[in-house]
Amino acid sequence: MSDSTATEIVRRLNRAVRSKSARLRLASRVPFGERLQVCRYILGNGLKVMLLVDHSAPVVSYHTWFRVGSRNDRPGKTGLAHLFEHLMFNETKNLPAGVFDRTLEAAGGESNAATWVDWTYYYANIPASELALIVSLEADRMANLVLRSAQVESEKQVVANERRYRVEDDVEGTVSELLYATAFKRHPYGQPTVGWMADIEGFSVKDCRNFYRTYYSPNNATLILAGDFDQQTALGLIQEHYGRQKAARIPRYRPAVEAGQRSERRLAIRRSTPSQRLLLGFRAPAFSDSDYPALVVANEILFGGRSSRLYRRLIRDNELAVDARGSVAPFCEPGLLEIWVVLRQGKTAPQALRVVDRELERLCAESVGKRELEKVINRLDLAFLQGLESASGKAERIGFYETVMGDARSLFARRQAFSAMRPEEVQRVARRYFRKKNRTVITVEPGDGELA
Amino acid sequence: MKGSCIAFRTRGGSSVFLEENHTLPLVDLQLTLRTGSVYDPKGLEGLTRITASMIRMGTKRLCATAVQEAIDRLGAQLYVLCAPSYVHFTASVVERNLKPFLSLLDELVCRPAWRPADLDFVKRQTIADIVEIRDNDQMLAVRHFRRFALAGHPYGRSVLGTIASVKAIRRKDVIRLYGEHYLARNLIIGAAGAVSEALLRELLDSSFNRLSGAKPPTEKVVAPRFATGRRVLVVDKPARSQTQILIGALGTSARDADYFPLLVGNTIFGGTFTARLMREIRSKRGWSYGASSRLAFDRQRDLWSMWAFPAAQDALACTELQLALLEKLIDQGITRNELAFAKDYLIKSHAFEIDTAAKRLGLAMETELFRLASDFHSRFVEKIRAVTRDQVNQALKKRLSKRNLAIVIVATYEDIRKQLESFSGVTSISVVPFDEI
């Protein structure tokens, strides 16, 4: 679609509306790979709309990303953003409880949602013929949710069970929660997204209503449509169903400032596990930081594939571990680079830590070879392409980059940053972030008991 | 839907399926062998999986490290998946490296080295994986459930094997299994993505031809028999705040005439977010984060099962509710509205079974693997549309059982012991420690 065609569609659609909040504006039109493009529109009420037309399959993936996550939860009210995600599948002024999902399933769709520190998103994958249905359902719950005591109480139980499943009966979940709580003493990234159990149990209907009024408004959201649809039809439906919604005043996000870490933090716990575990968290840059891509490459050198340095050292050569993984938290603000090692029975976390430290020191001391760097870039490219195979994958990536980076175009810029990576850049960030004073170390030993 | 699956055979006799799609410069590959853990000899459970794992551990020319290095350098991924009735080698590669990657796959499959040191490593790694199952309550439940429900049948064996059986596997066992099952006529090759038919034919002309042309063995697995009564097995694990509950019975097989009515019935019972199980357990009572039922199939009848994971204090109430819901399903059947809903759901959501080239390839490969009717997937919509309420209700009565059920609960036994004392209608309750795997 050309600029003039997109502008003409907007002009035609705006001719029929009176309300300012329903007026559309074409903000940008950018290529999405070699064959596709994303058109970015903004409704008068502030709702961002990203459209990616792809006729390769008769399906549409419909995403709604809200710029609210667990970092917006206040102490004592942790888990509210996540609980609210559950409540959004309940009753509205127009639909009784349970009808949202039932209607969508009858139309052949499936929907779900996710909450993390910086965002909450809702998605529905639907047959292309059901576009009008999903626009009306999603617009309705953005504005007309009904929150009653019975539903809030029932959903609190479901979330408590989710917490038991993901955290309390899961060693990795327990330790991950502990890592962030130890690394971030003041910043809300130290709070678990699912919430502390006591907080989950304490939520009231009033808490939920306040949260809804505060954060669920068109000017705090981005819609992403990817798949087989007609732009003008989609925009017309969006205008009709969202155009009457009013923008809200979104409170300015002012997180508590986390002081820089000055020394290594260590914790040891016991849990009912068959073998020891080791979790490291190095303070790491925000996803939008220019250091981030190089740190991802460094992590890939260490953990990407079976030929990676730490896979070989920990799992193959020394047979210390069953599993070894690393990842850089993709957060709006500085997060952690996490390293997770599951030891073999009889092997110890200090043994693994010595191996990890040697490899981190090597990465800081020696420049990465050209062949190794090429290998890592190839692997990252494969992961990038795999993420774009389905309409849902495309929508998710657009939503993520638009929400976290403020611009979906940076998805392809990030791919470019990986392919242009230089060895000295990797070494520089390794030296900057892989410092002992910059990290938190948690070890788990088999057995009963609490913190050592 | 763009594209349609092209099928042909290699010179060696392997079936090939291609789903061409040039949207992304990416190719997904799948090599499927008609073998599986059902062929593991008694006392050597895990042999099929270890043999498949050894495929990526080196060739006569390349050591294991060189193989991993080559896979990663080509921007490729290779996973090995073993099941009772098949072995999948699933791979993806960036388009520009398809040719060298396919050549590497050919070398891996046709020229394995079977180095003793690598076999010892894979065995130790497998034993470590078995030990780690203790840490994952859901996996622990599944492992015990299959073994408990299908005791003595090959489908009840663990694909991973046991610590003792893995220790007993020798190099000659691996070589023998490879010789008997890694045959050209036992291999199904699939490609989806940015590769043309002409290129794939050209590449396969020189690939996988070194596999033996011998006749594949005939699978001799008989239909499983299910023990009578409602039998309960508690897997006792300390410090659990929650339980994992799996309840099941024999379900259906790949060529069961009742398959489509059963699929509709299962969709109504526990196949969607608003199905009966989810509505009663999660939405109404908040007992479990998830609740669902699953209709698996294999060449012979496999298990139908339902799953929930309530807090310890709700374990018995949740189990009794699940059983009551199953009884109601079998005794009273489904309603007209439920039938209409399930058919709508299955027919319309079928678009998501075929929305990517890789998924379309997967269906073609499954049809070939299980020798399903050629229209099993291609006429899925018509088959679902034709299902009647009577067919569903009869199939549920005929295929599912409310009397003969295996019930596995992973929990801290002491926390649910009193509840179990009042569990009526069960024929046996046994308890095993979680680390006895």
Side-chain angles (χ1 to χ4, degrees), chain A residues 78-100:
Chain A
T78 64
L80 186 51
H82 173 254
L83 173 72
F84 203 81
E85 172 215 310
H86 282 237
L87 291 167
M88 278 288 279
F89 291 85
N90 269 298
E91 186 180 350
T92 73
K93 287 175 190 164
N94 303 308
L95 291 176
V99 174
F100 177 91

Side-chain angles (χ1 to χ4, degrees), chain B residues 370-398:
Chain B
F370 288 107
R371 298 197 169 93
L372 301 171
S374 60
D375 65 353
F376 185 88
H377 287 301
S378 62
R379 295 193 62 236
F380 177 89
V381 167
E382 290 93 319
K383 285 169 191 285
I384 293 294
R385 196 168 279 138
V387 170
T388 66
R389 187 172 161 224
D390 279 351
Q391 285 173 339
V392 175
N393 290 340
Q394 281 170 24
L396 290 170
K397 277 192 198 316
K398 193 164 99 187

